[in-house]
Amino acid sequence: MSTRNEVITPEALRAWALPAPGSSKRSRGTVLVAGGSPSTPGGAMLAGLAALRVGSGVLALAVARSVASAVAAAVPEASVFGVRLLDGEDGDDFDELTSGRDVVLVGPGLDDPDRAAALVNEILDHAAPETRFVLDAFALGVLSETKDQDVLSGRAVLTPNPAEAARL
């Protein structure tokens, strides 16, 4: 994986090669989008669909358990995991959730700072050392509350809007 900075433009996306004939969807990358609170699951859904549009092969969505069935019906191409933590409960298996993911996007559709911080910490604790991260929305707002920010060094993309950038 390249470590140089590159601006992704529509022209750059058009220049990317199509998948090789006979390749599997896993060879195009596995993405987990973790977000989607009970009242705002659409953020995680839209981020997941965007990941598929830019070429991800496998999509998993981790959303509040209370909305997981509706999300699964709305995004049938995704594996959908109901995350109890996003409903204020315990009992999630974050090893299963993060296992085998090339990229984890955390933040879209989160609306509670305490739950967002807990989600970011759990994902960082359980993700594989080679996993890359994208932190967006509420995940950026709680970045200062994460246990080990060093784990993100060289493996994270931050996507702040102007207000989030000011808080960072």
Side-chain angles (χ1 to χ4, degrees):
M1 177 170 276
S2 173
T3 58
R4 65 185 175 93
N5 294 331
E6 182 179 350
V7 176
I8 304 301
T9 64
E11 293 78 24
L13 290 175
R14 282 191 285 279
W16 286 356
L18 293 173
S23 65
S24 77
K25 60 185 176 182
R26 288 202 174 276
S27 68
R28 294 190 309 272
T30 60
V31 175
L32 169 68
V33 177
S37 70
S39 63
T40 55
M45 293 166 52
L46 291 171
L49 292 171
L52 290 174
R53 283 189 174 190
V54 298
S56 300
V58 177
L59 172 64
L61 299 173
V63 298
R65 195 174 104 190
S66 60
V67 297
S69 295
V71 169
V75 188
E77 56 271 65
S79 299
V80 178
F81 296 88
V83 178
R84 291 177 176 93
L85 185 146
L86 295 176
D87 285 311
E89 302 170 8
D90 293 326
D92 294 306
D93 182 353
F94 284 94
D95 285 328
E96 176 189 1
L97 194 62
T98 60
S99 178
R101 311 297 177 198
D102 296 310
V103 176
V104 178
L105 163 59
V106 186
L110 296 177
D111 64 1
D112 179 279
D114 293 333
R115 291 179 189 164
L119 180 66
V120 170
N121 282 322
E122 289 291 344
I123 287 173
L124 292 179
D125 284 349
H126 292 89
E130 64 276 4
T131 301
R132 305 290 188 189
F133 299 95
V134 178
L135 301 181
D136 183 45
F138 256 63
L140 291 171
V142 300
L143 189 55
S144 64
E145 300 171 34
T146 58
K147 295 177 194 173
D148 185 8
Q149 294 174 15
D150 291 339
V151 75
L152 293 170
S153 182
R155 338 188 292 176
V157 174
L158 308 181
T159 61
N161 63 34
E164 291 162 344
R167 281 193 297 269
L168 287 173

